[in-house]
Amino acid sequence: MFNDERINAECGKIYSKGILTAVLITFIYVLSRTVTLAIQGTLQTVLTYTEAVIFILGIGILLIGAFRFHNNSDERILFEKHAFYKKSAKIFVIAVFGAYILTIPFTTSEMLGKQPHNHLLLLLEVIGYLYLFYAFKTKEININYSFIAENGWNYYSRVFSNIGILWIGLFVPFILAAAWELALHESWMGMLTILFAYLSSSIGLSVEYFFISLTEKASYDTIEGKRFARGTRISMLVCLTVEFASTVLQCVYVYFVTGDLQNIPNIGNLDSLITFVSHQQLRTDLLLTVLVGLTISHIISQIPKNSLLCKVCRVKMLLLALSVLESTLTPIWYRALSEETLRYLSNNLSGWLRLLSFVITLTLWILFIRALTKELGISRILWMIPASKVFIVCMNIFFQSQSILFASVCISCTIEIASLILLTVILWRYHGFTAESDAEPLFS
Amino acid sequence: MNEKMKQARLEKNLSQTELAKIIGVSRQTINMIEKNDYNPTIGLCRKICKVLGCTLNDLFWEENDV
């Protein structure tokens, strides 16, 4: 039986910090929404059922853990503590998702204007992925650690059996929620919507889990070579593809929003189409955030922990999480502001914020390229990437006219994609890791 | 680096993966113990010693430790 004390100990720590993070993020989200609703004078309820479960269960687990295991010196108590957090984290996730699904029929009305009521769950899901990738890979633990060493057939059989368990596990609360919907509102359409949500959730989570398992196994089997592990390279390639899709959506959005109405073909429901493209772009960006997080965590697992490259990767992971938090909370904060304040902020502050964001991005790129060239000896041609970013900004300063905005965005996006293709090709072809004399993988 | 453990493992003709499988832990854990990046419990040390046919003194105690 697989029972690794190091992994149990690390998982216990990772899960306890994960629960704390989930409670803190929920607190920030709820506080932002409550203040906004109070300012608007439309505050009816402070917490949704899901948020209440997160607070009660999360704080409860952390308090019980703190009181029950305050004496950390005894090894047996430490074992119990780690096992407690591992089990509690499972219960926490099941309870939160269960509460969310079961209460769908009671929360179909939107909480905050156009804010969908699963917004918080989406935020927790994306930050949860980033946190788990980072925490597991920096501790050299695979997510499928208990069967990663098995051969391909056995490994993927276990992966698919886990996916089967996921489908069955989600089926129960969703079917109950659908029955609630039918009994409460006598709405067949509502029931079908919930069943459709079951299908889309199950398919989405299965594809994510399968992809994570695929890259993990590919990395595990090839990490001893001189190249970036195969899982890392697959993640890079998928990132590039999703970035391309996101870029196309951005160009389509700008084309419709800034285009001359007479030149746009006669499309019915143009407004709905623009909203649809905008939503798809947001989703693609969230997916891209998760994929970039996965790729960086794979890179972290293959480089020395005290290197500049590793530090840059850690900062990037933090910035990814902060950007998701910011993009979720900003629309809520904006609703609390009057039109005058928004106009003032738009005229005076947004330019400075964009500049700050650019400076941070550019600094991180410069440090990343410097670390790649100095520590891994990768080609200096990569300096073209930060140079191209500066070029794009200069171009956008000079070409601000509405009539050439579409062309300007297309050129910017093409340069961005070209930079990423260059980075992917160079990292893909890299052969510079030193092999260990023991023929055992060092950074696995 | 825990050279003594690595040496004992190589003398038994075992790779990190094989040793990990026998004990029921991950390859990474064995790797980290050999690199002195993880401080294992006595229980795990005893399992390793049993498989490698050594004592705790042989593998995990430094000569100048009391």
Side-chain angles (χ1 to χ4, degrees):
Chain A
M1 189 188 156
F2 188 91
N3 183 26
D4 190 317
E5 61 175 41
R6 179 185 72 87
I7 292 178
N8 288 343
E10 295 298 353
C11 284
K13 288 178 205 162
I14 290 169
Y15 292 142
S16 64
K17 285 180 191 166
I19 293 171
L20 180 65
T21 310
V23 170
L24 286 177
I25 289 172
T26 307
F27 177 72
I28 295 169
Y29 182 86
V30 169
L31 185 70
S32 305
R33 191 192 55 209
T34 306
V35 169
T36 301
L37 288 173
I39 290 172
Q40 285 180 335
T42 53
L43 182 65
Q44 288 177 337
T45 175
V46 176
L47 290 179
T48 63
Y49 300 104
T50 316
E51 289 155 3
V53 169
I54 292 174
F55 281 131
I56 294 168
L57 207 58
I59 295 171
I61 289 168
L62 294 171
L63 285 178
I64 291 170
F67 281 114
R68 204 170 138 193
F69 307 108
H70 63 276
N71 178 12
N72 280 351
S73 55
D74 192 319
E75 203 171 70
R76 285 169 303 174
I77 293 177
L78 276 177
F79 277 143
E80 271 184 45
K81 182 180 162 186
H82 302 319
F84 167 78
Y85 280 123
K86 234 176 131 178
K87 201 184 275 181
S88 302
K90 271 186 196 166
I91 294 170
F92 181 74
V93 171
I94 292 169
V96 170
F97 271 95
Y100 169 68
I101 296 165
L102 286 172
T103 55
I104 288 174
F106 307 100
T107 50
T108 41
S109 57
E110 290 170 335
M111 285 292 299
L112 183 68
K114 286 181 178 173
Q115 211 74 40
H117 63 276
N118 66 346
H119 226 216
L120 172 68
L121 229 56
L122 195 63
L123 173 70
L124 288 177
E125 188 185 332
V126 174
I127 293 190
Y129 273 131
L130 293 176
Y131 171 72
L132 286 179
F133 293 153
Y134 174 77
F136 272 69
K137 292 299 170 191
T138 47
K139 299 292 179 192
E140 301 192 15
I141 300 171
N142 291 297
I143 290 167
N144 292 326
Y145 60 84
S146 59
F147 53 93
I148 188 107
E150 295 190 13
N151 65 40
W153 175 258
N154 289 343
Y155 177 79
Y156 286 107
S157 303
R158 292 284 294 272
V159 169
F160 280 111
S161 80
N162 285 344
I163 289 174
I165 292 167
L166 176 82
W167 276 73
I168 295 165
L170 286 175
F171 181 73
V172 178
F174 267 109
I175 204 78
L176 282 173
W180 270 117
E181 177 68 22
L182 198 60
L184 283 173
H185 304 120
E186 294 180 2
S187 163
W188 287 96
M189 192 52 84
M191 192 195 79
L192 284 175
T193 309
I194 290 174
L195 291 178
F196 180 73
Y198 164 66
L199 282 179
S200 64
S201 302
S202 303
I203 291 170
L205 288 171
S206 305
V207 170
E208 284 162 12
Y209 175 64
F210 180 76
F211 182 68
I212 292 165
S213 304
L214 175 82
T215 55
E216 199 165 64
K217 181 66 176 163
S219 284
Y220 186 85
D221 289 343
T222 58
I223 208 160
E224 72 271 22
K226 291 185 172 185
R227 310 178 67 178
F228 277 102
R230 200 186 295 149
T232 318
R233 285 181 279 144
I234 293 171
S235 301
M236 281 183 218
L237 206 59
V238 176
C239 274
L240 187 63
T241 315
V242 177
E243 172 70 30
F244 182 73
S246 170
T247 302
V248 170
L249 285 170
Q250 193 183 342
C251 290
V252 170
Y253 180 78
V254 173
Y255 172 73
F256 281 126
V257 171
T258 65
D260 188 346
L261 210 59
Q262 286 173 345
N263 290 333
I264 292 175
N266 189 15
I267 301 170
N269 293 326
L270 187 61
D271 191 36
S272 304
L273 181 70
I274 290 172
T275 312
F276 175 76
V277 172
S278 162
H279 281 171
Q280 294 315 311
Q281 204 198 335
L282 279 175
R283 282 178 191 193
T284 317
D285 285 347
L286 280 180
L287 178 64
L288 190 63
T289 304
V290 173
L291 286 170
V292 170
L294 181 67
T295 309
I296 292 175
S297 63
H298 273 298
I299 291 177
I300 286 176
S301 69
Q302 211 172 350
I303 54 177
K305 300 291 171 283
N306 53 357
S307 60
L308 173 65
L309 186 57
C310 190
K311 285 172 192 157
V312 173
C313 288
R314 283 170 193 226
V315 173
K316 179 65 186 171
M317 288 294 273
L318 182 68
L319 288 179
L320 283 176
L322 287 178
S323 74
V324 179
L325 196 63
E326 184 267 333
S327 64
T328 308
L329 294 181
T330 310
I332 298 177
W333 293 336
Y334 276 3
R335 282 164 201 267
L337 304 174
S338 65
E339 285 215 1
E340 274 178 31
T341 320
L342 272 176
R343 207 174 303 125
Y344 174 80
L345 287 176
S346 169
N347 291 338
N348 298 296
L349 204 64
S350 61
W352 288 105
L353 284 177
R354 273 203 301 273
L355 182 67
L356 179 70
S357 160
F358 171 70
V359 169
I360 292 172
T361 311
L362 187 67
T363 310
L364 214 59
W365 269 110
I366 290 172
L367 289 172
F368 182 63
I369 306 293
R370 185 179 160 75
L372 284 177
T373 51
K374 290 275 174 193
E375 290 174 352
L376 298 186
I378 284 176
S379 168
R380 290 182 183 187
I381 200 169
L382 284 179
W383 283 111
M384 279 175 69
I385 295 175
S388 70
K389 301 230 171 263
V390 175
F391 172 75
I392 290 170
V393 168
C394 294
M395 190 184 74
N396 288 337
I397 289 171
F398 291 110
F399 299 105
Q400 283 192 334
S401 162
Q402 186 80 0
S403 58
I404 54 165
L405 195 60
F406 178 63
S408 165
V409 168
C410 285
I411 294 169
S412 304
C413 289
T414 310
I415 295 173
E416 287 272 358
I417 290 287
S419 309
L420 287 175
I421 291 174
L422 178 72
L423 180 67
T424 309
V425 168
I426 287 180
L427 294 186
W428 190 284
R429 290 166 55 88
Y430 179 68
H431 276 79
F433 285 118
T434 48
E436 271 295 299
S437 55
D438 191 18
E440 288 288 350
L442 244 190
F443 304 121
S444 57
Chain B
M1 193 82 160
N2 190 338
E3 283 295 341
K4 287 189 274 187
M5 178 174 151
K6 187 174 170 182
Q7 202 56 43
R9 175 174 62 78
L10 293 176
E11 277 171 17
K12 286 270 173 186
N13 249 340
L14 291 171
S15 68
Q16 287 182 347
T17 313
E18 286 162 339
L19 178 61
K21 209 165 184 179
I22 296 168
I23 297 170
V25 298
S26 75
R27 184 184 68 188
Q28 292 92 330
T29 299
I30 298 296
N31 182 39
M32 290 180 102
I33 295 171
E34 288 191 358
K35 285 198 294 173
N36 277 337
D37 280 348
Y38 174 64
N39 186 17
T41 63
I42 301 290
L44 180 55
C45 293
R46 286 182 66 201
K47 279 186 195 169
I48 294 170
C49 289
K50 203 173 168 188
V51 174
L52 298 182
C54 304
T55 64
L56 288 171
N57 282 0
D58 294 338
L59 297 189
F60 296 101
W61 267 225
E62 293 291 330
E63 259 122 45
N64 50 1
D65 283 352
V66 181

